[in-house]
Amino acid sequence: MGMHLPLSKLDAICLSHIHGDHLFGLFPLLSTLGMGGRMTPLNIYAPSNFGPVLKFFLSYFGDGLSFEIRFVPLKGKGPEVIFEGKSTEIVAFPLNHGIDTYGFLFREKEPMFNVRKEAVAEYGLTLTEIGTLKRGEDVVRPGSVVLPASELAYKPYEPASYAYVSDTAPFPELGGWLKGVSLLYHEATYTEAYADQAAKRHHSTAIQAARTALEAGAGTLLLGHYSSRIKDPSSIQSEARTVFPASFAAQDGDRWDIGPGKSAFKL
């Protein structure tokens, strides 16, 4: 792959909507996986109107595929967990783009608390009490003796998260759905000079993206999906920074390290 990512590591694909610039690269990828002899199933999370498109592809080119494609249609009217693993989960949420479109929030689950080693011996903690503290709950002993979790246990790390928001016009609920996200990728198709075009085409300006990041309390904002009218992405970055200083104009090939918590930095 162009980003030097092994295809064998690909377990799932999240497709925001069926506009060509977000869809046309999928079928060559599926064909490449088939020619490479992939055997393990592949999950595709996409709006329900992707179903007929996938059926068309499989009807003409499916014979060469050696693996199962599991299509999971997205239909939710609000945030919905679509995948849950041991330590991570994926949440899909509807966007405002004129056709069925979804964003995705990838986040680590809240970890169990670690109990301070010295506390185990000092208080003679039982296994049951250790389990209580690991859940972040206070231990209450006979005689109303309280062993507070805030003193005897600690969270080993702050969960990191990443949100992908493309394409959409702004809407009131979005910032709340992304509350506390570490790294937010948000489309910024236009500068404010083309705000009328953004509204007409259900896209966002850089400033609108920055307002969403501010409302969400995001750690870092990445901007992308620039219109061909935008010759210099630095103008997108400059406008966004008037509202949200930790804004960066993304370029193809950029790599970012996310976490712990709300920290993110470019590699």
Side-chain angles (χ1 to χ4, degrees):
M1 297 178 70
M3 294 303 299
H4 306 290
L5 301 175
L7 291 175
S8 60
K9 297 292 186 180
L10 183 60
D11 294 322
I13 294 174
C14 295
L15 182 67
S16 61
H17 60 298
I18 61 170
H19 280 165
D21 57 330
H22 292 257
L23 174 67
F24 290 159
L26 175 62
F27 299 140
L29 173 60
L30 296 178
S31 296
T32 298
L33 293 173
M35 289 187 290
R38 181 188 179 97
M39 300 297 293
T40 56
L42 177 69
N43 293 322
I44 299 181
Y45 302 93
S48 56
N49 57 8
F50 173 67
V53 181
L54 178 61
K55 183 178 180 180
F56 166 81
F57 169 77
L58 293 175
S59 68
Y60 282 92
F61 308 105
D63 289 345
L65 300 184
S66 54
F67 62 95
E68 178 187 2
I69 296 177
R70 297 172 178 171
F71 169 43
V72 182
L74 306 176
K75 302 177 181 178
K77 301 300 182 182
E80 180 179 358
V81 175
I82 59 173
F83 169 83
E84 188 168 6
K86 182 178 180 180
S87 60
T88 59
E89 62 184 10
I90 303 174
V91 178
F93 48 91
L95 297 175
N96 176 18
H97 191 47
I99 67 169
D100 286 349
T101 305
Y102 286 81
F104 301 94
L105 175 61
F106 306 83
R107 64 188 179 195
E108 293 180 313
K109 292 182 176 180
E110 287 285 341
M112 295 286 284
F113 281 71
N114 285 347
V115 178
R116 301 187 186 280
K117 293 181 179 180
E118 62 273 16
V120 176
E122 180 178 352
Y123 294 96
L125 297 173
T126 66
L127 290 177
T128 299
E129 291 174 335
I130 290 174
T132 299
L133 291 170
K134 288 180 70 69
R135 294 192 301 272
E137 302 169 2
D138 295 342
V139 169
V140 180
R141 287 178 166 176
S144 299
V145 176
V146 177
L147 304 180
S150 60
E151 296 180 10
L152 306 187
Y154 62 94
K155 189 183 295 187
Y157 62 87
E158 288 294 330
S161 54
Y162 166 72
Y164 175 83
V165 178
S166 185
D167 303 357
T168 189
F171 58 98
E173 297 85 1
L174 184 55
W177 290 349
L178 305 176
K179 190 64 69 177
V181 66
S182 307
L183 181 64
L184 166 61
Y185 172 89
H186 196 299
E187 71 123 298
T189 306
Y190 299 101
T191 59
E192 283 301 297
Y194 300 106
D196 58 334
Q197 290 297 311
K200 180 180 178 181
R201 300 177 185 276
H202 293 87
H203 279 293
S204 295
T205 67
I207 285 181
Q208 289 170 336
R211 287 172 180 158
T212 296
L214 189 65
E215 292 169 5
T220 302
L221 171 64
L222 294 185
L223 306 156
H225 199 277
Y226 316 122
S227 166
S228 59
R229 300 181 182 186
I230 307 301
K231 305 304 180 184
D232 182 6
S234 65
S235 62
I236 291 281
Q237 178 174 287
S238 297
E239 286 197 359
R241 286 184 174 181
T242 64
V243 175
F244 191 79
S247 299
F248 298 87
Q251 299 289 345
D252 288 345
D254 284 353
R255 298 176 63 194
W256 284 76
D257 186 283
I258 308 173
K262 291 171 64 175
S263 64
F265 58 90
K266 188 177 179 181
L267 298 175

